[in-house]
Amino acid sequence: MDADAEAPLTAWEATWRYVAGIPVILLIGWFAFIHDRPVPILSGLDLATHEFGHFAVFWAPRLVVLAMGSLFQIAFPLSIAVYFAFKREWLGAGLCAAWAGAACHAVSLYIADAPYGALPLIGTEHDWSAILYEFSAVHRAASLAAFVKDVGVVFWTGGLALCAAGPYFVRRKREHTTTDEAHMDDRMRQSAWAVVPPWDRRPRT
């Protein structure tokens, strides 16, 4: 099968993944930023990464241990998004950036709950109540929560933009690859001419 016959299929395969990814990102935003609700599946992953963040620095000072749960909850999907972007896997980068946005939203709810302690906890200590109390800043919980939520909106919007632009990036990459292959063929033909001119080549037997 020649390359021309494979090209339309490859282009469609590259496009439909992003077409399917955009509704997923929109659904994440619908749960998190419109209805202020945990995102199904992602909320479980957020809880796991949050608790792992505490565990990973159990040897550190108390405030670091308290803060690292929320920080790792956000940093984990964001680092995966950066990795995918570095590899130019734009769908993975967009989905993980949207996940990081949802993680920011979840953390903002936790921060906003600091003065009240109404959210159910796994342990006995409210991370953000303890952190803000230590700095005499419990009264600033709402403003800090709003800032973290806004950061989440930025991450989510960036993820949506990456996913929407994915087909364009893939098409550009394929065009560059085709151009590079054509240049390589030209160089190979020129090299063959330089070594043995066509009129001096012996016919194959």
Side-chain angles (χ1 to χ4, degrees):
M1 184 179 294
D2 60 354
D4 292 336
E6 292 180 358
L9 180 60
T10 303
W12 169 243
E13 287 178 344
T15 300
W16 79 261
R17 296 165 61 243
Y18 295 95
V19 172
I22 290 175
V24 174
I25 293 178
L26 292 175
L27 190 62
I28 291 173
W30 184 84
F31 275 104
F33 300 110
I34 295 179
H35 289 277
D36 277 334
R37 294 171 55 188
V39 181
I41 300 176
L42 291 186
S43 59
L45 294 174
D46 286 342
L47 178 60
T49 54
H50 183 102
E51 295 304 320
F52 180 81
H54 289 315
F55 176 77
V57 294
F58 70 92
W59 44 266
R62 173 173 172 269
L63 286 181
V64 174
V65 175
L66 291 173
M68 190 54 64
S70 296
L71 292 177
F72 192 77
Q73 180 177 338
I74 297 170
F76 180 71
L78 188 60
S79 62
I80 300 176
V82 171
Y83 170 79
F84 278 130
F86 179 77
K87 293 292 186 179
R88 297 185 180 182
E89 295 288 343
W90 306 113
L91 177 62
L95 290 173
C96 289
W99 175 13
C104 286
H105 172 264
V107 170
S108 74
L109 294 180
Y110 196 13
I111 296 173
D113 185 62
Y116 314 106
L119 291 176
L121 303 176
I122 292 181
T124 59
E125 189 170 34
H126 193 297
D127 296 347
W128 285 98
S129 291
I131 293 171
L132 295 179
Y133 179 82
E134 188 71 23
F135 292 99
S136 301
V138 176
H139 62 289
R140 298 188 180 277
S143 58
L144 179 59
F147 172 76
V148 174
K149 183 177 180 179
D150 289 343
V151 172
V153 172
V154 172
F155 288 157
W156 178 86
T157 304
L160 181 63
L162 282 175
C163 197
Y168 169 76
F169 292 142
V170 172
R171 185 167 60 251
R172 286 291 302 273
K173 181 179 179 180
R174 292 178 69 246
E175 290 173 353
H176 288 165
T177 301
T178 302
T179 302
D180 292 341
E181 290 176 350
H183 289 166
M184 180 64 70
D185 290 342
D186 289 341
R187 287 194 294 269
M188 291 178 65
R189 285 193 293 268
Q190 292 171 2
S191 176
W193 273 59
V195 175
V196 180
W199 51 82
D200 287 342
R201 295 178 188 171
R202 297 180 179 180
R204 296 181 180 178
T205 58

